[in-house]
Amino acid sequence: MSSLAGTSIDVVGGGFGGLSTACYLADADADVRVLEKNGQLGGRAARFSEDGFRFDMGPSWYLMPDVFERFFGHFGKAPEDYYRLERLDPHYRIFFKDGDEVDVPADRDAVREIFESYEDGAGEAFDEYLAESESNYELAMENFVYEDRPRLRDWVDLDVIKAAPVGLKLLGNMQGHVEDYFENPKLQQIMQYTLVFLGGAPHNTPALYNMMSHVDFNLGVHYPVSNGEGDQIGGFGAVVDAMVDLGEELGVEYVTDAPVAEITRRKEGFLVATEDGTEYNPDLVVSDADYAHTERDLLPEHERQHDDDYWDSKTYAPSAFLLYLGVEGDVDELAHHTLVLPDDWDPHFEQIFDDPQWPDDPAYYVCVPSETDETVVPDGDHSNLFVLVPIAPDLEDGPEVRKQYRDEVLADMAEHTGVDVRDRIAYEKQFSVSEFADRYNSIQGTALGLAHTLRQTALLRPPHRSDAVDGLYYTGSFTTPGIGVPMCLISGQHTADAILADT
């Protein structure tokens, strides 16, 4: 990487995009400072402890280990220098609300047999689907993910032409694509549940994202545990700590409890002011804060790329209704990752994207890290779990509707998984639309950012470079390649590359 020696750069926001960008820029000899609004780094991958229970507040599925290996490898490191991975088996458990239950094991041949048991010929179709998924993953990662193509002319390229069959899959949606392989609706759901991590629905997510099945079934689902001395911290907090440690080794300065109130271009460099009146004067600025918040709340009006109509016209990924629960006793009926799915999940997606309201019959996710990691509970006679229900962004989520929905979800979990925690809750915390907006300055309280719809994929996402302000750049889930921790790591490299190219 070329040198940025003598260049000072402030990164606003310490989520995965910001932490990644900071490492790449520091590795290029820039003087890098990360300004984080909250009291800890990691953005949505925050964690908290209460009454002996320790919770990851955000990401909990460690997917695409190859991306993490590539990130640390750039700096001559490896993930195992900081944390180890435990492969989960089963990857996850599914409770269908018709009473059916299935574990999805780590062994691919066992998964094939499960598919065949649901539908004659589905085992062979599973092999064919995964072969295509793996091919699409390799082509897409090389040509459309690791390679940033922010302008239309960047797509007139021999490598893109060679990968054209993958690109053409953008023209279909995941529902139609999966139906070409499987008739059984349960198998269709299994092949599409990862869309939740992309902030989309089967009818609005491009078929290109069938590559996520390769991520699931071939690359596996893992749980990270730190290599630190003393208490071994597991979960995504271990990954955040690893990136912060790497950044410190590279010379990054971190400032927490520093909410930025203003970013203004000066004749020489920038003014970056925090809410307590502290002023910084970097040469360049990278924002990992919510893109819309940066433009609408931090920049002067004449330095914005987009008006309010632009942001109001976008399709945002779901928000979430989250319950963090410390429970007395065990919940062994649940796996580390558990999905509870209705017979027909289309109404739930419709109530997110088409007719926003609290879902009547939700599909939801339950994470039970205490099934893998005993350090997340005060002692062995307790369980740690959080329940996540995807909901529409911008919903009203006052106390009354939360209480009603909380009771409905816990009753639903008791009915369909056999785990009734209502009389065993020792600790409870809720987090929803309002908290996403307040804690992360997230537009409409979305949990993830811009959904991966056809019109919001690749070069149709907001750019890494500001079109209005020289020296201002963006990173994170609003930019390419998009939503999810691995994508934000890659986004950091794209942003750093853009700065190097411009400098």
Side-chain angles (χ1 to χ4, degrees), residues 213-235:
S213 291
H214 169 66
V215 171
D216 180 358
F217 297 108
N218 291 334
L219 300 182
V221 182
H222 302 81
Y223 182 75
V225 180
S226 85
N227 294 336
E229 297 181 1
D231 290 340
Q232 293 183 320
I233 302 301

Side-chain angles (χ1 to χ4, degrees), residues 117-163:
S117 71
Y118 275 91
E119 178 182 319
D120 290 342
E124 182 177 351
F126 173 75
D127 289 337
E128 294 173 357
Y129 190 95
L130 276 198
E132 183 189 31
S133 175
E134 181 174 6
S135 175
N136 288 350
Y137 181 85
E138 292 172 352
L139 283 169
M141 294 297 286
E142 180 179 351
N143 293 287
F144 308 123
V145 178
Y146 290 133
E147 183 74 27
D148 194 24
R149 300 180 186 275
R151 298 156 300 192
L152 188 59
R153 67 174 180 265
D154 296 328
W155 293 72
V156 185
D157 178 284
L158 182 60
D159 290 335
V160 175
I161 294 171
K162 289 179 180 178

Side-chain angles (χ1 to χ4, degrees), residues 44 56-60 196-197 199 316-324 348 351-353 357-359 362-366 386-398 401-402 405-406 409 429-437 440 442-449:
R44 286 166 171 77
D56 274 343
M57 293 181 67
S60 59
V196 173
F197 304 130
Y316 293 99
S319 186
F321 177 65
L322 281 160
L323 292 172
Y324 303 99
H348 185 165
Q351 290 176 319
I352 293 175
F353 292 101
Q357 57 186 289
W358 288 82
Y364 55 95
Y365 161 59
V366 185
F386 73 81
V387 183
L388 185 157
V389 185
I391 61 174
D394 216 23
L395 283 184
E396 292 291 334
D397 64 342
V401 69
R402 286 191 188 209
Y405 207 68
R406 174 251 193 213
V409 170
K429 178 184 176 72
Q430 298 178 4
F431 199 95
S432 195
V433 179
S434 299
E435 286 83 2
F436 281 106
Y440 306 119
S442 177
I443 187 170
Q444 296 186 10
T446 170
L448 299 168

Side-chain angles (χ1 to χ4, degrees), residues 60-68 85-92 104-108 111 130 137 193-194 197 211-224 236 337 486:
S60 59
W61 292 66
Y62 190 98
L63 300 168
M64 302 175 72
D66 53 320
V67 173
F68 295 87
L85 294 178
E86 297 182 11
R87 185 159 184 173
L88 300 181
D89 192 4
H91 284 173
Y92 46 93
V104 177
D107 182 89
R108 179 174 153 173
V111 180
L130 276 198
Y137 181 85
Y193 82 92
T194 50
F197 304 130
M211 68 180 187
M212 292 301 294
S213 291
H214 169 66
V215 171
D216 180 358
F217 297 108
N218 291 334
L219 300 182
V221 182
H222 302 81
Y223 182 75
F236 262 87
H337 296 308

Side-chain angles (χ1 to χ4, degrees), residues 245-258:
D245 289 347
L246 172 61
E248 289 178 338
E249 293 165 20
L250 295 167
V252 176
E253 176 189 358
Y254 300 101
V255 183
T256 55
D257 291 312

Side-chain angles (χ1 to χ4, degrees), residues 200-362:
H203 68 273
N204 70 10
T205 302
L208 171 65
Y209 291 103
N210 81 330
M211 68 180 187
M212 292 301 294
S213 291
H214 169 66
V215 171
D216 180 358
F217 297 108
N218 291 334
L219 300 182
V221 182
H222 302 81
Y223 182 75
V225 180
S226 85
N227 294 336
E229 297 181 1
D231 290 340
Q232 293 183 320
I233 302 301
F236 262 87
V239 185
V240 172
D241 291 345
M243 296 187 67
V244 172
D245 289 347
L246 172 61
E248 289 178 338
E249 293 165 20
L250 295 167
V252 176
E253 176 189 358
Y254 300 101
V255 183
T256 55
D257 291 312
V260 170
E262 178 185 358
I263 301 172
T264 306
R265 179 72 195 188
R266 297 297 199 213
K267 185 175 181 180
E268 297 292 335
F270 286 82
L271 166 69
V272 178
T274 59
E275 289 182 3
D276 66 2
T278 304
E279 295 184 354
Y280 301 94
N281 300 106
D283 298 316
L284 305 173
V285 172
V286 176
S287 179
D288 183 43
D290 182 283
Y291 210 122
H293 166 68
T294 304
E295 288 216 318
R296 302 202 298 186
D297 301 323
L298 304 185
L299 293 172
E301 188 169 353
H302 67 278
E303 293 183 350
R304 301 170 188 171
Q305 301 172 96
H306 309 106
D307 58 18
D308 287 346
D309 289 343
Y310 171 88
W311 294 112
D312 291 342
S313 70
K314 294 300 179 184
T315 300
Y316 293 99
S319 186
F321 177 65
L322 281 160
L323 292 172
Y324 303 99
L325 303 174
V327 174
E328 297 174 352
D330 65 62
V331 290
D332 289 342
E333 296 91 337
L334 304 176
H336 186 123
H337 296 308
T338 297
L339 302 168
V340 183
L341 304 179
D343 301 339
D344 180 6
W345 65 5
D346 286 343
H348 185 165
F349 285 115
E350 289 168 3
Q351 290 176 319
I352 293 175
F353 292 101
D354 304 323
D355 182 21
Q357 57 186 289
W358 288 82
D360 297 317
D361 186 16

